[in-house]
């Protein structure tokens, strides 16, 4: 009951915050609505007064919010401030499109995740940590993957339609653009857990009795999947409301595109209804994930009869991270002496050569210089944000009753809306992009921490240690944190390239990097229109992002639970009142 009230309070606070967005950001909603309706119309005081009178803006935000909530109880989500049409039918139509796209993208993500961990499943967990290929795939930005698929598969090869939304064939390319990176992340997380499942006593006994490897692999999947279901629920909401770039590229009338347009135009009824739909979807997805996890694990979760999935393992190979790090440092060293702002119009979009190893962009600027100069700012800020998100995620993940509803609420906020809300509260400035990304980047890490913590508390060794009288501090410091922290840190490093790209992509809103800044995300955005004519213009920053992802994951392979040495247990005396009944 408390969790439901906490969830309802957070949802109400989010919807109210959106309703106050124009006033919090100290902008004139009448002017924004007028520009969205007719950009060429002169914003005279008389015209603005007419807009305020029509929308009831003179009454203030609280009466407008109360009117919208009252109508929502009757099933009326209001009318759009821009078009004047009823909000509910348009939002439901956009939601149905996004749900179909999300379902196909989830199918692609599942297939990708299975392909990522196929080698581990085949070999029964006997492998060293790796996964550079999946790290590269997870680091590729969705809008770049969508552009490549649309250009190559849709336009040049003509195998599938690349624009519009008219039937099942139109879902394939955008679903692949969304599902491949998501599946790579989930596959890496699953691949991280599988060796522990294959090392459990039941798996060894099954192998000794000669059971088929396929059957053991299926049971190992069943053992590991419950720990990933909460993160899969986050992906479900993210693929529904956060697919803005893919929907824009493929011209899909989905909910992400609808909420983006409403946020930029400050069309509050549409924005509030879209956010509420994502909140309900997030609550349903998280509830289904928890129920499915309990069904898959069975009574072992209740009885504390699980084995730990996080056993001491040998470290990963140290050579590959050194090679990848040397390649990244060599790129920076070669590009720093060059001028990233020198414009040479006679050398526009030149292919790679001895003079310009990465080619030139649309203004004739050297891409090697721009990529190298953008490395330091991009990486340092991304590392700082990832560290803050990791700390917040772990701390909140240790309090699942508090963080569970909070994660669902934060995850329902599209990235664009999160940036606008942070800007409204904190104001613009150089720290605004970092605050906006940190505000949402901790959610998957907190979910991962809570899911692993729940299973670790149900293990036999934890139950035995607690029965021996170990205190809470000992259990947290010596049992829970050492088991949970390494996989969550590896998860945070896997998301490091995505954090770097999210920081730079806020330049579209005037919050982050602006031209002529050489940040990687800005390079991808400004060179994307020339991807077909000069693919090297986008391949250079994309390759550095992929290299960063591979370096982060391979370096994180050495973050394993240390082998336990001799240790003592803090025994707490048990009084007669605390002793169990005989």
């Amino acid at each position: 009951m408390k969790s439901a009230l906490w969830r309802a309070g957070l949802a109400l606070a989010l919807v109210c915050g959106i309703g106050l967005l124009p006033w919090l950001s100290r902008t004139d909603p009448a002017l924004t609505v007028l520009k969205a309706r007719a950009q060429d119309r002169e914003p005279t005081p008389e015209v603005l007064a007419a807009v305020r009178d029509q929308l009831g803006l003179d009454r203030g935000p609280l009466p407008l919010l109360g009117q919208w909530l009252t109508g929502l109880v009757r099933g009326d989500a209001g009318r759009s401030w821009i078009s004047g049409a009823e909000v509910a039918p348009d939002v439901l139509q956009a939601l149905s499109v996004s749900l179909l796209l999300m379902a196909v993208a989830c199918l692609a993500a599942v297939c990708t995740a299975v392909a990522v961990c196929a080698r581990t499943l085949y070999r029964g967990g006997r492998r060293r940590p790796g996964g550079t290929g999946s790290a590269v795939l997870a680091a590729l930005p969705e809008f770049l993957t969508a552009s490549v698929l649309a250009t190559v598969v849709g336009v040049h090869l003509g195998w599938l339609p690349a624009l519009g939304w008219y039937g099942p064939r139109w879902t394939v390319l955008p679903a692949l653009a969304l599902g491949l990176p998501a599946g790579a992340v989930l596959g890496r997380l699953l691949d991280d857990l599988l060796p522990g499942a294959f090392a459990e006593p039941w798996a060894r006994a099954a192998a000794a009795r000669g059971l088929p490897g396929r059957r053991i692999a299926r049971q190992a999947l069943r053992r590991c999947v419950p720990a990933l279901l909460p993160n899969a629920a986050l992906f479900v909401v993210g693929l529904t409301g956060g697919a803005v770039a893919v929907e824009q590229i493929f011209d899909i009338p989905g909910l992400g595109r609808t909420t983006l347009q409403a946020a930029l135009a400050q069309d509050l009824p549409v924005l509030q209804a879209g956010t509420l739909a994502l909140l309900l979807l997030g609550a349903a997805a998280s509830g289904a994930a928890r129920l499915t996890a309990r069904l898959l694990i069975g009574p072992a979760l209740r009885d504390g009869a699980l084995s730990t999935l996080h056993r001491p393992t040998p470290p990963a190979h140290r050579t590959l991270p050194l090679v990848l790090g040397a390649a990244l440092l060599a790129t920076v060293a070669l590009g720093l002496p060059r001028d990233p702002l020198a414009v040479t119009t006679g050398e526009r979009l030149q292919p790679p050569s001895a003079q310009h190893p990465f080619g030139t962009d649309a203004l004739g600027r050297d891409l090697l210089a721009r990529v190298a100069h953008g490395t330091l700012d991009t990486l340092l800020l991304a590392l700082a944000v990832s560290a803050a998100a990791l700390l917040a995620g772990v701390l909140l993940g240790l309090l699942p009753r508090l963080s569970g509803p909070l994660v669902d609420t934060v995850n329902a906020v599209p990235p664009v809306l999160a940036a606008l809300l942070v800007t409204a509260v904190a104001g613009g400035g150089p720290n605004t992009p970092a605050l906006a990304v940190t505000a949402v980047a901790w959610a998957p890490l907190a979910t991962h921490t809570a899911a692993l913590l729940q299973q670790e508390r149900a293990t036999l060794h934890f139950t035995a240690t607690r029965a021996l009288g170990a205190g809470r501090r000992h259990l947290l410091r010596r049992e829970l944190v050492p088991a949970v922290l390494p996989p969550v840190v590896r998860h945070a490093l896997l998301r490091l390239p995505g954090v770097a790209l999210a920081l730079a992509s806020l330049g579209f809103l005037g919050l982050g990097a602006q031209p002529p800044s050489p940040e990687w995300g800005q390079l991808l955005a400004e060179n994307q229109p020339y991807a077909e004519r000069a693919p090297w213009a986008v391949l250079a920053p994309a390759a550095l992002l992929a290299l960063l992802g591979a370096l982060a994951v391979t370096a994180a392979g050495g973050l394993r639970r240390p082998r336990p040495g001799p240790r003592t247990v803090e025994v707490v005396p048990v009084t007669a009142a605390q002793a169990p009944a005989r």
Side-chain angles (χ1 to χ4, degrees):
M1 185 62 182
K2 292 182 179 179
S3 178
L5 292 175
W6 173 230
R7 188 183 300 273
L10 289 173
L12 181 61
L14 177 59
V15 173
C16 292
I18 293 173
L20 300 175
L21 181 60
W23 290 270
L24 290 174
S25 58
R26 295 172 293 277
T27 59
D28 187 358
L31 180 60
T32 307
V33 170
L34 179 63
K35 289 182 178 180
R37 289 179 176 179
Q39 295 183 357
D40 56 347
R41 191 170 183 182
E42 186 69 21
T44 62
E46 294 77 12
V47 173
L48 293 177
V51 173
R52 294 190 187 95
D53 183 66
Q54 179 188 4
L55 301 179
L57 297 176
D58 291 333
R59 292 181 294 167
L62 295 181
L64 286 176
L65 183 61
Q67 180 182 353
W68 185 82
L69 292 174
T70 303
L72 192 64
V73 175
R74 302 192 304 266
D76 181 14
R79 290 183 174 272
S80 169
W81 286 3
I82 307 300
S83 64
E86 292 187 6
V87 169
D90 292 342
V91 170
L92 291 177
Q93 176 65 25
L95 178 61
S96 64
V97 171
S98 293
L99 288 178
L100 176 59
L101 178 60
M102 178 269 294
V104 183
C106 286
L107 179 61
V110 169
C111 296
T112 304
V114 172
V116 168
C117 59
R119 183 182 178 187
T120 305
L121 289 171
Y122 177 76
R123 300 190 62 185
R126 297 185 300 274
R127 65 164 188 84
R128 281 185 176 270
T132 55
S134 59
V136 170
L137 186 59
L140 292 179
E142 292 176 351
F143 71 85
L144 179 61
T145 308
S147 299
V148 171
L149 290 175
T151 302
V152 177
V153 180
V155 177
H156 288 304
L157 299 178
W159 291 348
L160 291 167
L163 193 66
W165 187 260
Y166 304 104
R169 295 178 67 243
W170 277 261
T171 65
V172 177
L173 292 183
L176 287 176
L178 292 170
L180 290 177
V185 173
L186 289 176
R188 279 291 306 140
L189 297 179
L190 179 60
D191 199 51
D192 197 41
L193 295 175
L194 281 173
F198 281 113
E200 289 184 338
W202 66 265
R204 295 179 177 179
R209 295 190 61 181
L211 266 68
R214 291 189 299 273
R215 186 173 179 182
I216 299 176
R218 286 197 299 268
Q219 293 300 320
L221 278 175
R222 179 175 179 176
R223 174 68 181 90
C224 297
V225 162
L228 301 182
L229 283 176
N231 261 285
L234 297 187
F235 274 109
V236 166
V237 182
L239 294 177
T240 304
V244 178
V246 174
E247 291 178 355
Q248 290 277 29
I249 291 172
F250 289 99
D251 194 23
I252 299 174
L255 189 60
R257 186 180 177 186
T258 300
T259 54
L260 170 64
Q261 294 172 349
L264 296 179
Q266 293 188 353
D267 191 354
L268 295 188
V270 176
L271 187 56
Q272 289 170 322
T275 305
L276 183 60
L278 290 175
L279 285 171
L280 295 176
L281 177 64
S286 62
R290 288 193 296 268
L291 178 60
T292 306
R294 291 183 179 276
L295 292 177
L296 287 176
I297 297 177
L301 185 65
R302 179 196 62 215
D303 299 337
L306 293 176
S307 298
T308 181
L309 291 174
H310 309 289
R311 301 173 181 275
T313 55
H317 292 292
R318 301 181 183 273
T319 305
L320 187 56
L322 294 178
V323 172
L324 296 175
L328 185 60
L329 289 176
T331 303
V332 175
L334 290 174
L336 283 180
R338 299 167 178 258
D339 187 358
L341 303 178
V343 176
T344 308
T345 56
E347 297 182 357
R348 297 177 64 251
L349 299 177
Q350 291 295 312
S353 61
Q355 183 180 1
H356 303 288
F358 285 2
T360 62
D361 63 5
L363 297 179
R365 295 173 297 191
D366 185 75
L367 282 174
L368 175 59
R370 293 184 62 75
V371 166
H373 280 266
T375 300
L376 295 180
D377 292 340
T378 303
L379 287 186
L380 291 178
L381 191 57
L383 285 172
V385 170
S386 298
L390 175 63
L391 179 61
V394 171
L395 292 179
L396 289 173
L398 295 176
L399 304 171
R401 293 183 179 179
L402 171 68
S403 63
L406 186 59
V407 166
D408 295 338
T409 304
V410 169
N411 190 59
V413 181
V416 173
L417 182 57
L420 292 175
L421 289 173
V422 170
T423 305
V425 175
N431 298 324
T432 299
L435 292 175
V437 176
T438 307
V440 296
W442 63 270
L445 302 178
T447 300
H448 196 191
T449 301
L452 296 178
L453 188 70
Q454 182 187 32
Q455 293 205 22
E456 198 66 25
R457 281 175 171 166
T459 56
L460 288 170
H461 75 87
F462 181 84
T463 304
T465 306
R466 185 171 55 184
L468 289 173
R472 290 185 176 181
R473 291 182 58 186
H474 175 88
L475 293 172
L476 183 65
R477 181 168 52 90
R478 302 299 296 269
E479 300 294 337
L480 296 179
V481 172
V484 170
L485 191 58
V488 177
V489 172
R490 293 194 293 272
H491 185 184
L493 287 174
L494 181 63
R495 291 181 176 271
L496 177 62
V499 170
L501 183 66
L503 285 168
S505 65
L506 291 181
F508 289 113
L509 298 176
L511 305 176
Q514 293 294 309
S517 171
E519 277 192 307
W520 292 353
Q522 181 63 31
L523 293 181
L524 285 169
E526 66 187 15
N527 291 316
Q528 184 187 351
Y530 310 98
E532 184 177 355
R533 178 183 172 186
W536 55 85
V538 293
L539 286 179
L544 265 294
L545 272 173
L547 180 62
L548 174 62
L551 174 61
V553 172
T554 53
L559 296 173
R560 301 280 154 177
R561 185 174 184 177
R563 296 183 181 277
R567 58 186 184 181
T568 59
V569 177
E570 302 171 7
V571 179
V572 178
V574 179
T575 63
Q578 296 172 326
R582 296 184 180 273

